[in-house]
Amino acid sequence: MNATQDRYIAAPGTAPLVQLKGIAKYFPGVVANQDVDLDVLPGEIHALLGENGAGKSTLMNILTGIYQPDAGEITIDGYAKEFATPLDAIAAGIGMVHQHFKLVQAFTVAENIHLGWSETPRLASARKLEARTKALAERFNLHVRADARINELSTGEQQRVEILRVLAREARILILDEPTAVLTPAEARELFKALREFTSRGNAVIFISHKLDEVLEISDRITILRGGRRIATHDTSECNPRMLARLMVGRDIVLADMRQRPPGAAPRSAEPILRLESVSALDDGGKTALHDITLDIHAGEIVGIAGVAGNGQRELSHVLTGLRRIASGRIVVDGAPIGAGDAAAFSELGIGHIPEDRLRSGLAPAMSVAINAVMREYKKPPIGSGGLYRSGAATLLAREIAKAADVAVPDFAMPVRNLSGGNQQRLVARREMRIAHKVLVAAYPSRGLDVGAINTMLRYIVELRDAGAGIVLISEDLEELLNLSDRIAVLYEGRLMGALENDKIDVEQIGLLMGGRTVRKEAA
Amino acid sequence: MLQGLRLQRLPSVQPGIALAMRALAIAIVVLAASIALLVAGEDPIALGAQLVSATFSSTFGMEDFGLLVIPLILTGLSVAVGQQIGIWNIGAEGQFLVGAFAATAVGLFVPGPAWLILPLIIAAGALGGVVWILVPTLARAFVGVNELITTLLLNFVAALLVYYVSTGPWRDRVGMSNSSTPRITVEMPEFWGLIHWGLPIAILMALAAAAILAFSRWGYEVRLSGSNPSAAAYAGIAVRRHIITVMLLSGLIAGVAGAFELAGTVHRLQGGISNNFGYLGIMVAVLARNSCVGVIFTGILMAFILNSGIILQTQGITTSAVLAMTGAILFLTAIGDELAHYRILRAGSTRA
């Protein structure tokens, strides 16, 4: 936590490099930022910590001129500023490296550095641009290969190009959004070294992250955002992981405990109904997204999967529903191993799936309500027998599902996208519940829904549990997980950290696990 | 933006509005053409009346017109079938040519009675179309190569192949022409006048395709795969397998069109036998909004436009004018399809 390099000490009374005061930003129905104050001093690395949706990205989009604040002031170097466009922010010395790089893959490093830059010479040969790039690289001590094409570079190298691109435009404030998410540990160490050097010249870094360890390692001060508001700012030396976790996720938990079973509900089965044995799987890009996952799902229980999105949730839900082949390991359903990567076989076995993005993968938005409603049962009589598709029978089934979902559908031939998001989700949920005799995999079932629709969704899930299905509930919402789950496991970087009984768990502990700290490590 | 008014984009288009937009596109183009004719010193109304009477009031006119309808329905159907699963078969032209080529091979070199040879000719045409779309199909299904480019480029290969055999190894050494093969010995039986049985068969094929898509499990899976492939995968549908069968079917229909054209209308293989039918089929399908029943009507419409061009030629007006008109209709239809997504709202209106 102690920097080895000399820290830049600002003269007393020096104005903060960046001063945000009372920033607010509203989107329809959402308060993205409210009353946010933030001071960034020269020479410091200031970490911005918070869950997904805490308002970090909105705040940085305001600071970089992408959004205009609905209230509040931005002061840079003591002068009040208004950024009408990102170019204004760049001119004021603010540069941002986004989590997903904005580089032209087919261009060389030199071309990317010079793209859209007023100082790029009007007539410039490739050689000249490369020479300029080399000079810049030396000046900022960031080694890049000027003549290499971006698609030949590793992600660490690409990030270095992004940083150089920002620094070349004389940025004094460098914003990094989840910079280590794509880096190997060695690359991350490189990056930290470069950041230290950058700040030692009186510049500042704003470092967005949800990883507690690295925030504690790299930053000088930490600001925690939650629900769009600033919760606290502390010197890093005063912080510890436990306290940060509490600040980050520790909202007041509404204890609407839905874990109690009504009389007559199916008990938790002794044997698991679905079992993952040392399962590993790749993401779409061919990288390992799930490492050696072992997980038992019993009938009549809800297993919550917590974690920050992008840590393997998508792949896990795919593996559990047969949408993705596994690289190694075994999937056992009701005692019998099943070949992975056959979604039809999984659904026929009684595994339902509420996908994370219903419009992209759970529904065909342009097709009729009826066609979408029967997606799981079109092969069975009365709709499908003898290779036929009986649209009359399909409409009848759709009517039944819509009735169970309490969705008023004026016309079953109209495109399903004409329904509201909540109605779509209820329809998908009811459709899946009909086939989920054994297991329901629900990925972010309440995402994007209003409170009423959320309650309905959770009620459905409990109802299915009581009917004797095993539920895997993937969610970012800790409240939801704590209220529903019998056990909670945390996904972090493709690894499943513990599957703890809900009774023996507290929010802080989950927060630590979500930030990549193991329980044992913390206890030591 | 205008004060007090704003535009709202609707996610889906009502079919009625889309059809109205098509009618409007055609009306605008006809109007523009009329003005152009006026400027050129012609009388557009008299010419229009002449077009209608020349087409519909004589047997000759009806025959010419009907013979154009057959290939246009089929190539339109070929494109529309591909579109059911989101595939743009730009190669109906090439599949048509290779279908005609394969049909010629049977017609010229396989001896036998007509009742045997004729079905063989049509089967050969179908096979030719399938073979010609096979490589684009496999490239699309297994490596994700965009079928727009592969199917389009193979058109030129097919055109050169047909040109080569009809002026080279298979050319008519007896007749006067050096640019076509000899006449094949069998032909499609006549249905009405010179119009052969290809017409009712083409209409039946379009109806059958529509029925299969609407009322079979296969059709359901294909439509779902075309509308949202990831939802189809989620439902456990083998999307790749369906892409393969649909593309091959699309090629098959275009190949059959080529065989019909050869055995029913032209009777000998020659360089220009495809007459751009493959490309016009794209228009036929777009105007029909990829409805398999719709292509019957838009095929007829397109045949009328094409036939009009031929008649206008006798009046000293170049056929390029008609090509320009068809292009303008397609262009305006594309704009109309986009506009059909919008509706104008008064400010303060809260209807969403």
Side-chain angles (χ1 to χ4, degrees):
Chain A
M1 266 149 240
N2 290 318
T4 46
Q5 270 154 308
D6 292 334
R7 269 206 61 188
Y8 173 92
I9 309 291
T14 312
L17 215 44
V18 177
Q19 193 169 27
L20 301 180
K21 249 192 142 74
I23 295 290
K25 180 75 190 173
Y26 312 106
F27 294 113
V30 184
V31 177
N33 282 141
Q34 174 89 50
D35 290 330
V36 178
D37 295 348
L38 180 70
D39 289 351
V40 182
L41 305 173
E44 82 167 339
I45 296 181
H46 196 119
L48 210 51
L49 195 63
E51 292 181 283
N52 292 60
K56 297 171 292 185
S57 300
T58 307
L59 190 65
M60 289 304 108
N61 282 334
I62 287 171
L63 184 55
T64 52
I66 294 171
Y67 294 154
Q68 278 68 52
D70 293 326
E73 294 165 13
I74 303 174
T75 311
I76 307 293
D77 249 347
Y79 295 96
K81 297 268 183 187
E82 268 183 37
F83 299 143
T85 71
L87 286 177
D88 295 345
I90 292 170
I94 296 169
M96 178 153 179
V97 174
H98 293 267
Q99 191 177 358
H100 303 285
F101 304 143
K102 303 191 183 306
L103 297 169
V104 183
Q105 292 286 319
F107 279 17
T108 63
V109 170
E111 285 164 338
N112 269 287
I113 297 276
H114 287 89
L115 193 64
W117 187 18
S118 57
E119 284 176 37
T120 303
R122 276 185 184 280
L123 286 171
S125 63
R127 199 191 291 165
K128 191 168 174 190
L129 292 185
E130 280 160 25
R132 282 173 55 95
T133 305
K134 280 203 186 89
L136 284 168
E138 266 166 40
R139 183 176 146 211
F140 293 108
N141 203 11
L142 283 167
H143 175 71
V144 294
R145 288 181 281 151
D147 58 345
R149 286 186 197 288
I150 298 299
N151 52 24
E152 300 165 2
L153 301 182
S154 73
T155 38
E157 288 174 297
Q158 293 188 23
Q159 188 179 55
R160 226 173 297 145
V161 175
E162 278 273 22
I163 294 174
L164 184 59
R165 203 178 123 87
V166 168
L167 298 190
R169 287 150 177 79
E170 303 298 336
R172 298 195 52 212
I173 301 129
L174 177 62
I175 305 169
L176 299 166
D177 188 3
E178 302 277 358
T180 58
V182 293
L183 301 184
T184 63
E187 286 174 326
R189 276 196 298 279
E190 276 292 282
L191 171 70
F192 289 176
K193 227 175 87 192
L195 295 184
R196 278 283 166 223
E197 200 185 273
F198 178 67
T199 54
S200 69
R201 280 175 272 137
N203 303 313
V205 169
I206 300 177
F207 190 97
I208 303 176
S209 182
H210 61 258
K211 293 186 194 167
L212 305 178
D213 278 335
E214 70 177 31
V215 162
L216 287 167
E217 181 188 340
I218 184 72
S219 69
D220 301 306
R221 287 199 301 156
I222 302 174
T223 291
I224 297 107
L225 294 182
R226 192 201 311 152
R229 289 161 195 271
R230 187 185 67 122
I231 297 303
T233 300
H234 290 291
D235 284 342
T236 306
S237 54
E238 298 166 1
C239 295
N240 64 55
R242 181 164 289 270
M243 149 195 173
L244 289 178
R246 188 174 53 237
L247 287 170
M248 191 164 95
V249 299
R251 75 202 91 179
D252 297 334
I253 299 289
V254 183
L255 280 174
D257 201 330
M258 298 171 93
R259 287 179 293 147
Q260 294 307 316
R261 267 68 163 175
R268 190 162 160 178
S269 67
E271 288 300 309
I273 193 153
L274 176 66
R275 199 178 148 76
L276 299 185
E277 292 176 3
S278 312
V279 167
S280 297
L282 307 179
D283 65 13
D284 295 338
K287 282 199 298 185
T288 306
L290 293 178
H291 300 271
D292 198 24
I293 303 257
T294 296
L295 180 65
D296 284 354
I297 320 287
H298 297 260
E301 74 162 349
I302 298 177
V303 178
I305 308 285
V308 176
N311 276 292
Q313 285 90 339
R314 192 176 125 81
E315 289 76 14
L316 179 65
S317 67
H318 283 181
V319 161
L320 286 168
T321 53
L323 277 169
R324 187 174 296 265
R325 291 179 185 287
I326 54 177
S328 62
R330 211 158 74 111
I331 303 176
V332 182
V333 178
D334 232 357
I338 175 170
D342 181 355
F346 275 64
S347 74
E348 271 153 34
L349 273 174
I351 298 174
H353 181 198
I354 299 175
E356 58 179 316
D357 184 343
R358 58 185 167 264
L359 272 179
R360 204 173 296 161
S361 54
L363 294 169
M367 305 212 74
S368 73
V369 177
I371 282 178
N372 276 287
V374 303
M375 219 188 249
R376 289 297 194 191
E377 293 175 70
Y378 69 91
K379 286 182 190 164
K380 292 183 214 157
I383 300 168
S385 54
L388 291 182
Y389 171 77
R390 294 189 179 80
S391 55
T395 305
L396 282 180
L397 176 61
R399 207 177 288 280
E400 199 180 320
I401 292 174
K403 194 175 165 216
D406 202 13
V407 173
V409 180
D411 176 8
F412 283 87
M414 78 177 185
V416 75
R417 69 170 150 221
N418 291 4
L419 295 175
S420 74
N423 282 347
Q424 290 172 1
Q425 185 74 328
R426 286 216 290 267
L427 218 52
V428 169
R430 275 297 172 188
R431 178 185 79 196
E432 297 305 311
M433 285 167 70
R434 284 175 62 89
I435 64 151
H437 307 300
K438 292 203 170 79
V439 175
L440 177 72
V441 179
Y444 311 102
S446 52
R447 186 187 266 175
L449 303 184
D450 61 36
V451 182
I454 291 174
N455 273 333
T456 313
M457 285 306 305
L458 302 188
R459 214 159 27 77
Y460 285 178
I461 287 170
V462 169
E463 184 187 314
L464 193 63
R465 174 201 68 195
D466 293 341
I471 315 268
V472 181
L473 175 63
I474 300 174
S475 178
E476 284 175 308
D477 187 337
L478 283 181
E479 210 172 298
E480 182 175 299
L481 286 171
L482 287 168
N483 290 346
L484 262 73
S485 311
D486 299 299
R487 290 183 295 144
I488 297 182
V490 178
L491 257 185
Y492 179 75
E493 292 187 340
R495 290 189 167 79
L496 209 54
M497 325 272 276
L500 302 162
E501 293 291 329
N502 193 347
D503 302 329
K504 298 172 193 151
I505 211 163
D506 62 65
V507 185
E508 271 177 41
Q509 215 173 349
I510 299 180
L512 285 168
L513 288 168
M514 283 167 66
R517 306 275 302 215
T518 61
V519 178
R520 202 178 305 120
K521 195 165 153 192
E522 179 55 24
Chain B
M1 201 186 278
L2 282 170
Q3 275 238 309
L5 294 177
R6 62 191 183 86
L7 286 175
Q8 183 193 23
R9 193 177 202 284
L10 303 172
S12 39
V13 174
Q14 284 177 335
I17 294 176
L19 284 180
M21 285 291 183
R22 280 163 172 67
L24 187 66
I26 292 166
I28 290 174
V29 170
V30 169
L31 191 71
S34 306
I35 292 170
L37 286 170
L38 263 180
V39 170
E42 305 272 354
D43 179 355
I45 294 169
L47 271 177
Q50 198 184 344
L51 286 180
V52 173
S53 73
T55 308
F56 297 108
S57 65
S58 75
T59 312
F60 287 141
M62 285 296 276
E63 282 172 351
D64 286 349
F65 169 63
L67 286 176
L68 288 174
V69 170
I70 302 165
L72 287 170
I73 288 180
L74 286 175
T75 53
L77 183 64
S78 165
V79 177
V81 163
Q83 276 288 287
Q84 304 298 323
I85 200 157
I87 291 287
W88 273 112
N89 179 14
I90 305 297
E93 181 86 3
Q95 294 134 26
F96 181 100
L97 283 167
V98 174
F101 163 80
T104 308
V106 173
L108 287 181
F109 304 115
V110 181
W115 61 265
L116 180 66
I117 296 303
L118 199 56
L120 264 186
I121 281 178
I122 295 166
L127 187 66
V130 168
V131 165
W132 214 242
I133 204 172
L134 186 63
V135 171
T137 301
L138 298 179
R140 162 70 201 231
F142 291 99
V143 217
V145 177
N146 190 328
E147 76 284 354
L148 275 168
I149 295 158
T150 48
T151 54
L152 173 70
L153 292 181
L154 281 176
N155 289 345
F156 303 106
V157 182
L160 289 171
L161 171 74
V162 167
Y163 185 75
Y164 167 69
V165 295
S166 57
T167 58
W170 292 1
R171 77 170 185 276
D172 186 1
R173 286 159 210 276
V174 184
M176 308 298 272
S177 163
N178 263 336
S179 60
S180 70
T181 65
R183 191 182 163 98
I184 61 166
T185 48
V186 292
E187 58 183 68
M188 295 282 288
E190 274 147 12
F191 168 67
W192 182 86
L194 280 176
I195 301 172
H196 54 86
W197 272 85
L199 182 65
I201 295 174
I203 291 173
L204 282 177
M205 281 170 75
L207 293 175
I212 290 170
L213 282 163
F215 302 122
S216 75
R217 178 188 299 174
W218 180 82
Y220 174 83
E221 293 188 350
V222 164
R223 285 184 292 149
L224 199 59
S225 306
S227 183
N228 186 351
S230 46
Y234 159 88
I237 293 168
V239 178
R240 176 185 290 169
R241 208 178 63 212
H242 286 318
I243 286 180
I244 293 173
T245 45
V246 168
M247 280 185 80
L248 295 183
L249 183 64
S250 173
L252 180 145
I253 294 168
V256 168
F260 280 179
E261 187 70 5
L262 181 95
T265 307
V266 184
H267 307 295
R268 46 178 88 217
L269 190 66
Q270 57 193 43
I273 190 168
S274 63
N275 206 6
N276 286 332
F277 289 135
Y279 295 114
L280 292 167
I282 300 167
M283 275 203 62
V284 171
V286 168
L287 287 176
R289 300 188 79 220
N290 301 315
S291 147
C292 294
V293 177
V295 297
I296 298 171
F297 301 99
T298 54
I300 290 171
L301 176 72
M302 189 56 60
F304 177 71
I305 295 173
L306 216 57
N307 198 35
S308 303
I310 297 165
I311 297 167
L312 283 177
Q313 218 175 358
T314 63
Q315 303 296 313
I317 293 162
T318 162
T319 40
S320 334
V322 169
L323 265 183
M325 277 178 68
T326 54
I329 291 173
L330 187 62
F331 176 66
L332 289 178
T333 302
I335 294 176
D337 273 350
E338 187 55 30
L339 288 181
H341 278 284
Y342 289 90
R343 86 170 156 206
I344 299 168
L345 293 180
R346 278 177 213 293
S349 162
T350 48
R351 263 190 76 198

